[in-house]
Amino acid sequence: MIPLFHPVWADADPEDIAFADQHAAHGNFRAWAQLTAHTRTAHTRTALARTGRPRVDQELLRWAFSRLA
């Protein structure tokens, strides 16, 4: 379901989605919305560009987790 929720998750590795759910979203769609807002920020896009990563991965997810309230 999450890959259909937002393009940032569309090509994410299923293991990374499970990691995000386990560590931040906990099966809660509101938490997924908050996490998605942080993973699609300019900072994340900049981090992806600087690292040459094609998509969100666990390292970038950890960064996003640190910004969640």
Side-chain angles (χ1 to χ4, degrees):
M1 180 67 152
I2 294 303
L4 300 174
F5 167 57
H6 192 278
V8 74
W9 304 114
D11 63 349
D13 186 307
E15 288 184 22
D16 293 336
I17 291 172
F19 176 82
D21 193 51
Q22 179 182 12
H23 294 279
H26 310 291
N28 181 292
F29 196 74
R30 185 171 290 184
W32 272 107
Q34 185 179 20
L35 178 59
T36 299
H38 285 287
T39 57
R40 63 188 176 119
T41 65
H43 295 296
T44 302
R45 287 191 298 267
T46 299
L48 287 169
R50 287 183 182 171
T51 62
R53 292 181 173 109
R55 63 180 182 255
V56 173
D57 59 21
Q58 289 186 20
E59 184 176 348
L60 289 174
L61 287 170
R62 284 187 188 94
W63 173 85
F65 298 163
S66 73
R67 274 121 182 101
L68 293 174

